[in-house]
């Protein structure tokens, strides 16, 4: 093969490869800590299919919302509660028409270990007696959605005043789960999707759906989103492939 022909072929190859490299973009997502396992998988598949990179920051929805309002550079926000998304939208940071209720979840009581006895959460439920001298792990009850849902459920069941002094609060629901998994608290309140992500806990019981507000995860494209990859990932969150991943992790599909 002549040098001229080889050079022409290489030029053709690079003319196809170079635009793909130039077009690769980064999507920055702020997401509720309870989404980690499922969302990591959704992001990985999106990256494989598009060549774009999805960078995800996980924390309590309250902390993420405040960071976004204060100017943190995020393209997409997924909250574990409607109220924190409302705060971001009121600040004018949600793209018009680019917000939807994505997922639902269930609130459960988890116990340390793999073989804890089940309990019936309802009339006659005595959480104080169940705890004994131990602590009840919860996410921050005044700000983190999982903690807020949990406190509301305990108030509805007439249990909050009895256990309030025994609550060990954590910054987010995954930190709450870790307290129970490590045996630092015998019981904790988390989402059902968190419980399946940790082998060293048992779901002891499920809180009645009417004991707290519906657990809804709204997702939104933010005004700082600047490229096509941001919108593509936002739309992929409600696609069939993402739905399968979220459902496999125990989320209810709302979109």
């Amino acid at each position: 093969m002549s040098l001229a022909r080889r050079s022409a072929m290489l030029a053709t190859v690079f003319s196809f490869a170079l635009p793909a490299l130039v077009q690769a973009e980064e999507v920055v997502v702020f997401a509720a800590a309870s989404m980690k396992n499922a969302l990591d998988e959704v992001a990985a598949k999106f990256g494989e299919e598009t060549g774009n990179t999805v960078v995800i920051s996980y924390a309590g929805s309250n902390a993420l919302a405040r960071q976004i309002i204060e100017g943190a550079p995020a393209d997409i926000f997924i909250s574990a509660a409607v109220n924190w998304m409302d705060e971001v939208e009121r600040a004018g940071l949600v793209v018009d028409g680019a917000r939807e209720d994505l997922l639902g979840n269930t609130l459960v009581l988890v116990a340390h270990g793999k073989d804890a006895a089940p309990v019936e959460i309802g009339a006659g439920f005595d959480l104080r007696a169940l705890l004994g001298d131990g602590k009840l792990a919860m996410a921050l009850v005044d700000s983190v959605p999982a903690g807020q849902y949990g406190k509301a459920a305990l108030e509805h069941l007439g249990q909050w005043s009895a256990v309030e002094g025994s609550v060990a609060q954590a910054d987010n629901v995954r930190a709450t789960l870790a307290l129970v998994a490590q045996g630092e608290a015998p019981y904790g309140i988390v989402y059902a999707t968190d419980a399946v992500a940790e082998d060293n806990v048992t779901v002891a019981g499920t809180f009645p759906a009417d004991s707290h507000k519906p657990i809804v995860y709204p997702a939104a494209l933010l005004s700082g989103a600047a490229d096509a990859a941001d919108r593509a990932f936002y739309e992929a969150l409600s696609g069939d492939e993402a739905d399968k991943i979220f459902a496999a992790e125990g989320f209810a599909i709302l979109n």
Side-chain angles (χ1 to χ4, degrees):
M1 182 183 295
S2 70
L3 180 60
R5 182 172 175 77
R6 183 184 297 274
S7 299
M9 289 182 67
L10 288 173
T12 300
V13 170
F14 284 117
S15 70
F16 285 101
L18 190 56
L21 293 173
V22 171
Q23 292 171 9
E25 296 165 345
E26 183 177 89
V27 182
V28 178
V29 180
F30 280 21
S34 53
M35 299 192 69
K36 180 169 175 52
N37 292 55
L39 192 57
D40 278 352
E41 186 174 350
V42 172
K45 288 188 178 296
F46 178 81
E48 291 170 2
E49 294 171 0
T50 66
N52 297 312
T53 302
V54 181
V55 178
I56 309 174
S57 293
Y58 294 104
S61 300
N62 59 313
L64 296 174
R66 288 167 179 156
Q67 289 170 21
I68 291 168
I69 291 169
E70 290 171 2
D75 302 313
I76 294 169
F77 178 38
I78 313 174
S79 172
V82 171
N83 62 320
W84 288 112
M85 183 64 78
D86 289 344
E87 291 290 326
V88 173
E89 188 162 24
R90 274 193 289 269
L93 299 174
V94 171
V95 173
D96 289 344
R99 169 181 172 171
E100 67 174 326
D101 290 341
L102 188 67
L103 303 167
N105 215 329
T106 304
L107 197 68
V108 299
L109 181 73
V110 290
H112 174 66
K114 298 180 180 180
D115 301 307
V119 298
E120 185 69 29
I121 301 178
F125 176 52
D126 189 348
L127 183 55
R128 175 68 270 165
L130 187 66
L131 289 174
D133 295 329
K135 294 289 186 180
L136 176 67
M138 296 180 68
L140 295 171
V141 299
D142 292 328
S143 55
V144 176
Q148 293 175 317
Y149 293 128
K151 180 181 178 182
L154 294 177
E155 288 176 335
H156 179 85
L157 295 165
Q159 297 293 304
W160 176 249
S161 60
V163 303
E164 181 178 4
S166 299
V167 172
Q169 298 187 53
D171 287 341
N172 58 67
V173 70
R174 284 303 174 95
T176 302
L177 183 68
L179 290 176
V180 182
Q182 295 163 9
E184 296 182 36
Y187 291 92
I189 298 177
V190 299
Y191 301 124
T193 53
D194 296 299
V196 301
E198 173 55 63
D199 291 335
N200 204 31
V201 302
T202 301
V203 175
T206 300
F207 287 90
D210 64 358
S211 67
H212 55 82
K213 291 181 179 178
I215 299 172
V216 175
Y217 288 68
L221 186 68
L222 302 178
S223 57
D227 53 53
D230 300 331
R231 181 169 286 278
F233 187 67
Y234 170 73
E235 293 174 352
L237 290 170
S238 56
D240 291 342
E241 191 167 14
D243 284 351
K244 291 176 184 177
I245 293 170
F246 288 131
E249 290 289 332
F251 287 99
I253 307 302
L254 302 182
N255 57 78

